[in-house]
Amino acid sequence: MKKVIFVGLNEFNIDLLKDISEIIPNKYLRKLNNLVHKKLLVKDEYNSGFLEPWVQWVGIHTSTSSTRHKIKNLGDVPNLEEKQIWERLSDEKYNSIVWGAMNATSGNHESSKNNIFVPDPWVFSENTVPKNLNSFFNLPKYLAKEYTSISKIKISLMVFNFVKSSVREIGFLNFFKALKVLAEGLFLFGFKNFVFINFFDFLSSLIFLKKINKQSFNLSFLFLNSIAHVQHHYWYSKDPSKLREIKFTYRNLDRILNEFEKNLGIFENKVPFFMLNGLTQENTLNDPDWILYRIKDLRKFLNLYDINFTKVETLMTNDAHIFFDDRDELNKAVKLLNEVSVNGMNIFNVKPDLNDLKIFINIELTSKVEKSDSMRFMDHHFSFGDYFVSIVKRTGKHLRECDLITNASEFDSLSNNSIYNYQIFNKIYPDLFKH
């Protein structure tokens, strides 16, 4: 069984990558342009609710379409019935390292001490394999889950353990390299989320490569989300030279590629290398404004309506899970949340799960709303800005296209748009899918 390096560079736009590579100092971004590039099909339509990365990547992991795997929301993978690629490998006694794969579960990964699994921070049901990596993972997981109500005591302890674990894994010098990324970002842009995402992507890459150097894996899978984030938030010009945040993020990607080349020789074809975006984005400058909102404090908001819940889990942007002990309370909450509106527009999309006694909600409101506008529920009126905040006016939206970049020469003969994105591992590991 061949050994494969697979990088999920979420949602990168291939044309923007090429444009940026021509205008910033870089060592390896331009070399990506010299590798094999293929277009893959994406099955799901834009308004289907399935053209989301947490749906598409589940399909890629399981080599199945969304109509088959049926996972629609971030964090729903405990209900996944299809086998992921690393589970198929484990069944055949092959090992893998999976780092940060979006909306993934370890599955049977725990059955072998030769496997490593670090989950998506927004999949709260999952822990690391082996467990000693939890000291690194607990900080991003806590920030993902509790970013609206962070405890200073908890965060201080987790930061300490995060630094300690990182230094243990890669040493002071490599950790200092990651800190330089963070320091540069803070100096240029201040305390912006994308700065910390870049830091985490670079640090994760260093630890991932350290693990590969210590142990041989049949599949080495790394997921990076910084490009997707800055395209959604900072693609505010058609002129790539003006995109400061995106240029910073691509400089960081070049640093990551530099580490990959030093350790693995991906541009010298020493090991099969695949980079996939899952789906891509297109610029929205010519589209009507589409504004992303989130609730400032979900627990406080639910208490406002006397909703009796057991716990909440805030997800990546404008969505969350709300859990209940009682089905009657769940049904009451569904009715109440469906009636919340502002300026005559419903705020929430509400999806109950009666089996797991939870509700998935996301804010479907995308029109411009003023902070002083009245939020209405039955006979109660509140100011919208007291409970909701605008995150961003979206600059990049999902597009039904997928791009593959690889150094594997056998893919040169693959025709563009001849396979779906979820069939990529069928092509990489055909022997696993013969029976």
Side-chain angles (χ1 to χ4, degrees):
M1 180 66 67
K2 63 184 175 184
K3 301 183 188 303
V4 166
I5 306 298
F6 190 98
V7 175
L9 186 62
N10 193 32
E11 298 179 23
F12 74 85
N13 178 285
I14 189 70
D15 295 322
L16 184 60
L17 186 157
K18 291 176 180 177
D19 289 343
I20 295 291
S21 72
E22 294 300 322
I23 62 173
I24 65 170
N26 69 88
K27 202 171 181 181
Y28 294 104
L29 286 179
R30 288 191 188 96
K31 290 189 177 184
L32 289 177
N33 299 331
N34 298 327
L35 300 183
V36 176
H37 170 223
K38 296 295 176 179
K39 290 283 186 183
L40 308 187
L41 295 166
V42 178
K43 197 168 192 176
D44 295 298
E45 300 281 349
Y46 181 74
N47 290 319
S48 66
F50 288 98
L51 193 65
E52 299 286 354
W54 43 84
V55 178
Q56 298 303 311
W57 281 104
V58 174
I60 292 162
H61 303 156
T62 60
S63 299
T64 62
S65 66
S66 61
T67 54
R68 181 168 170 180
H69 68 66
K70 297 182 174 65
I71 300 297
K72 194 172 185 179
N73 300 317
L74 190 57
D76 281 352
V77 284
N79 300 322
L80 181 63
E81 296 179 356
E82 305 294 331
K83 284 192 175 182
Q84 299 156 121
I85 184 62
W86 44 92
E87 294 179 274
R88 289 179 180 271
L89 286 164
S90 288
D91 286 346
E92 301 298 325
K93 310 303 180 187
Y94 298 113
N95 68 341
S96 54
I97 175 172
V98 179
W99 198 283
M102 179 172 268
N103 212 14
T105 175
S106 59
N108 64 10
H109 228 47
E110 296 182 14
S111 62
S112 172
K113 65 180 180 180
N114 295 319
N115 292 323
I116 294 176
F117 181 84
V118 175
D120 177 349
W122 281 272
V123 180
F124 306 124
S125 60
E126 295 296 309
N127 288 304
T128 64
V129 179
K131 292 181 179 178
N132 65 356
L133 284 170
N134 276 323
S135 56
F136 169 82
F137 176 67
N138 283 339
L139 175 63
K141 183 177 181 178
Y142 177 76
L143 291 172
K145 189 176 182 179
E146 303 290 348
Y147 62 85
T148 60
S149 53
I150 289 173
S151 162
K152 291 181 180 178
I153 296 175
K154 285 184 178 180
I155 200 71
S156 299
L157 179 61
M158 287 181 182
V159 168
F160 174 79
N161 287 330
F162 176 82
V163 173
K164 181 180 176 182
S165 176
S166 300
V167 171
R168 183 188 69 223
E169 293 291 341
I170 59 174
F172 280 106
L173 288 179
N174 277 321
F175 186 69
F176 182 72
K177 280 199 287 189
L179 283 181
K180 284 175 65 178
V181 174
L182 179 61
E184 180 187 347
L186 292 174
F187 175 76
L188 292 173
F189 305 103
F191 286 83
K192 297 290 180 67
N193 285 344
F194 83 93
V195 172
F196 295 97
I197 295 170
N198 272 283
F199 164 70
F200 186 71
D201 272 5
F202 185 73
L203 182 61
S204 293
S205 300
L206 293 179
I207 300 175
F208 174 81
L209 289 167
K210 193 77 171 181
K211 295 293 184 185
I212 294 174
N213 284 330
K214 283 184 178 180
Q215 182 181 344
S216 179
F217 297 95
N218 293 100
L219 171 64
S220 301
F221 186 122
L222 174 68
F223 185 85
L224 303 172
N225 199 46
S226 52
I227 298 294
H229 179 85
V230 292
Q231 286 176 170
H232 278 310
H233 289 243
Y234 299 104
W235 200 353
Y236 43 70
S237 174
K238 295 288 182 71
D239 181 355
S241 67
K242 296 179 179 178
L243 303 174
R244 295 176 63 242
E245 296 85 355
I246 291 179
K247 288 192 294 183
F248 172 82
T249 303
Y250 269 108
R251 287 200 304 272
N252 192 48
L253 176 61
D254 191 62
R255 294 187 188 101
I256 292 171
L257 291 172
N258 178 48
E259 297 295 332
F260 267 76
E261 179 62 12
K262 283 195 305 184
N263 286 273
L264 303 171
I266 57 173
F267 293 105
E268 298 174 12
N269 296 343
K270 291 182 178 178
V271 60
F273 169 76
F274 298 86
M275 179 179 282
L276 192 78
N277 57 8
L279 70 164
T280 187
Q281 292 181 31
E282 63 179 342
N283 186 265
T284 61
L285 283 176
N286 296 326
D287 292 3
D289 287 353
W290 192 102
I291 299 170
L292 192 66
Y293 298 95
R294 70 167 172 83
I295 303 174
K296 290 181 177 179
D297 187 327
L298 182 55
R299 292 179 182 85
K300 182 179 178 181
F301 180 81
L302 294 174
N303 288 331
L304 184 70
Y305 294 103
D306 294 324
I307 293 174
N308 296 315
F309 59 92
T310 56
K311 66 173 181 175
V312 299
E313 292 179 348
T314 50
L315 298 176
M316 190 173 287
T317 48
N318 64 344
D319 42 10
H321 286 123
I322 309 168
F323 295 83
F324 300 84
D325 277 337
D326 182 86
R327 183 172 290 196
D328 290 337
E329 287 296 331
L330 183 151
N331 288 328
K332 171 188 165 187
V334 170
K335 183 176 183 299
L336 291 171
L337 291 169
N338 273 324
E339 293 180 5
V340 181
S341 65
V342 62
N343 298 340
M345 299 176 288
N346 288 340
I347 293 178
F348 295 112
N349 175 31
V350 184
K351 299 175 184 175
D353 181 341
L354 296 179
N355 292 324
D356 291 337
L357 288 180
K358 69 178 182 180
I359 296 173
F360 172 82
I361 63 166
N362 71 298
I363 299 174
E364 61 181 4
L365 176 73
T366 59
S367 300
K368 175 68 174 176
V369 176
E370 300 297 335
K371 292 180 180 180
S372 58
D373 286 349
S374 180
M375 184 176 68
R376 185 175 182 276
F377 166 66
M378 297 176 65
D379 295 328
H380 303 286
H381 294 264
F382 309 95
S383 292
F384 182 79
D386 289 343
Y387 295 95
F388 292 85
V389 62
S390 166
I391 303 175
V392 67
K393 184 173 77 172
R394 182 183 64 178
T395 59
K397 70 177 181 183
H398 296 145
L399 184 65
R400 287 181 65 207
E401 293 180 7
C402 177
D403 297 276
L404 170 68
I405 297 173
T406 179
N407 65 5
S409 58
E410 64 267 27
F411 276 74
D412 205 15
S413 60
L414 181 72
S415 299
N416 281 318
N417 296 317
S418 61
I419 64 170
Y420 286 103
N421 56 354
Y422 60 81
Q423 294 174 314
I424 184 62
F425 282 116
N426 301 66
K427 291 292 183 182
I428 295 174
Y429 293 115
D431 291 343
L432 286 179
F433 296 89
K434 284 183 177 179
H435 43 72

